[in-house]
């Protein structure tokens, strides 16, 4: 098991290896405990909890046998569900997501990253093919980074998990370097704009004695210019000419 996640009105229980019946029962017990807490809180506050307010449980498992699914009466919703998602009885508000049965679509990519073997490799290939500055790629690699950390805690990795850690290491390192470089470039750009703004403010103050509201309104349009562009304008144009040219550019 990879550790449970609670997101708004849902509980996510991801498993690295196929979830056993006992593990699924433990997940259901946790769900019922949360349900009991909500009921007790409602009783204390003399309020009512609607059925829709109770959390849903999503058990994420790489594979699941027919015996396991049948044992929990987990069935596909033929009208609204995608392949691989099996729902338990309505009042249990639970589903077993069999990751290896999910279709290969962008919508299932997050889940397929938690699969094993070929399914997970294909999902990582899809992530790796995305541009380095793609937000989805960055967020997906954060998820994979957490997965790698969980795996590395275990000193007795099987060959498949060891291969996964080795593949993720350079991929995560590349993303980290890209993120750092973007941060550095953004910081440099922000620094340049601050220095440029200070220079423009000083020149306006020297020329016109004070920075009133009208002059402050033209600072940002001037900042967007390069020094060779704005310096001659600040030195040669009158106050009226500067206002006429830049006052309406915000």
């Amino acid at each position: 098991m990879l550790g449970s996640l609670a997101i708004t009105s849902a509980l996510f229980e991801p498993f690295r290896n196929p979830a056993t019946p006992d593990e699924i029962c433990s997940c259901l017990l946790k769900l019922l405990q949360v349900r009991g807490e909500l009921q007790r809180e409602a009783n204390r506050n003399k309020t009512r909890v609607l059925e829709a307010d109770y959390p849903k449980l999503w058990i994420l498992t790489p594979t699941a046998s027919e015996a396991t699914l049948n044992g929990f009466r987990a069935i596909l919703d033929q009208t609204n569900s995608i392949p691989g998602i099996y729902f338990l009885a309505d009042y249990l508000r639970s589903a077993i997501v069999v990751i290896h049965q999910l279709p290969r679509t962008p919508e299932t990519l997050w889940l397929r990253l938690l699969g094993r073997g070929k399914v997970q490799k294909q999902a990582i290939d899809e992530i790796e093919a995305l541009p380095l500055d793609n937000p989805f790629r960055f967020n997906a690699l954060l998820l994979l980074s957490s997965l790698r950390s969980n795996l590395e805690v275990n000193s007795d990795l099987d060959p498949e998990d060891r291969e996964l850690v080795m593949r993720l290491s350079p991929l995560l390192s590349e993303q980290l370097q890209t993120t750092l470089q973007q941060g550095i470039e953004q910081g440099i750009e922000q620094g340049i704009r601050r220095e440029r703004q200070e220079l423009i403010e000083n020149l306006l103050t020297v020329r016109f004695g004070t920075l009133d509201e009208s002059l402050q309104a033209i600072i940002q349009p001037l900042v967007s210019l390069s020094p060779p562009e704005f310096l001659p304008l600040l030195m040669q144009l009158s106050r009226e000419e500067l206002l006429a040219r830049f006052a309406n550019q915000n």
Side-chain angles (χ1 to χ4, degrees):
M1 186 174 176
L2 300 179
S4 60
L5 301 172
I7 302 177
T8 60
S9 59
L11 292 174
F12 292 86
E13 295 284 354
F15 288 85
R16 179 63 181 159
N17 297 309
T20 66
D22 284 344
E23 289 171 330
I24 294 175
C25 287
S26 295
C27 295
L28 292 171
L29 177 59
K30 186 181 298 185
L31 175 70
L32 294 175
Q33 289 172 336
V34 172
R35 186 182 180 108
E37 286 294 330
L38 291 174
Q39 289 175 337
R40 285 188 286 274
E41 182 178 355
N43 292 337
R44 287 194 296 269
N45 297 329
K46 297 182 178 179
T47 58
R48 180 186 174 192
V49 184
L50 299 177
E51 187 63 31
D53 294 331
Y54 289 115
K56 291 184 177 180
L57 170 66
W58 300 88
I59 300 170
L60 313 178
T61 177
T63 61
S65 67
E66 284 190 28
T68 297
L69 296 173
N70 292 336
F72 288 98
R73 297 292 190 270
I75 60 173
L76 289 171
D77 183 341
Q78 300 294 341
T79 57
N80 299 315
S81 179
I82 61 176
I85 301 181
Y86 296 82
F87 292 90
L88 279 63
D90 291 345
Y91 285 128
L92 287 177
R93 296 180 62 79
S94 301
I96 299 174
V97 181
V98 183
I99 295 173
H100 285 205
Q101 295 182 16
L102 295 173
R104 192 193 300 179
T105 64
E107 292 76 16
T108 66
L109 182 53
W110 280 108
L111 295 171
R112 289 185 287 115
L113 285 171
L114 297 175
R116 297 206 65 151
K118 292 181 180 180
V119 171
Q120 186 176 59
K121 289 178 181 178
Q122 175 61 42
I124 295 175
D125 288 342
E126 293 174 39
I127 292 296
E128 194 170 9
L130 295 173
L132 289 175
D133 59 351
N134 185 291
F136 188 92
R137 186 183 200 272
F138 176 76
N139 291 328
L141 288 177
L142 285 179
L143 174 65
L144 289 173
S145 177
S146 176
L147 173 59
R148 185 187 66 171
S149 298
N150 286 332
L151 292 176
E152 288 179 331
V153 171
N154 183 4
S155 59
D156 188 24
L157 290 178
D158 61 37
E160 182 181 326
D161 286 342
R162 190 174 296 108
E163 180 183 349
L164 174 62
V165 170
M166 291 178 64
R167 180 178 182 189
L168 290 180
S169 294
L171 187 60
L172 295 172
S173 177
E174 178 188 35
Q175 184 66 51
L176 176 60
Q177 291 176 5
T178 300
T179 303
L180 289 174
Q181 183 62 36
Q182 290 173 343
I184 291 171
E185 292 174 356
Q186 185 179 18
I188 291 173
E189 176 64 23
Q190 291 174 346
I192 291 173
R193 289 185 66 86
R194 282 197 300 270
E195 293 178 359
R196 194 175 294 176
Q197 179 172 333
E198 291 176 1
L199 174 59
I200 292 170
E201 290 173 348
N202 290 337
L203 288 173
L204 288 173
T205 302
V206 169
R207 282 210 62 195
F208 304 114
T210 184
L211 275 179
D212 58 23
E213 187 174 337
S214 297
L215 289 175
Q216 290 178 357
I218 69 172
I219 290 175
Q220 290 307 314
L222 286 166
V223 168
S224 64
L225 302 177
S226 65
E229 292 174 318
F230 69 69
L231 283 173
L233 299 176
L234 288 175
M235 299 304 295
Q236 298 170 12
L237 297 184
S238 66
R239 172 190 171 93
E240 290 71 23
E241 290 172 327
L242 286 170
L243 292 178
R245 184 163 179 174
F246 295 104
N248 296 321
Q249 293 188 18
N250 275 326

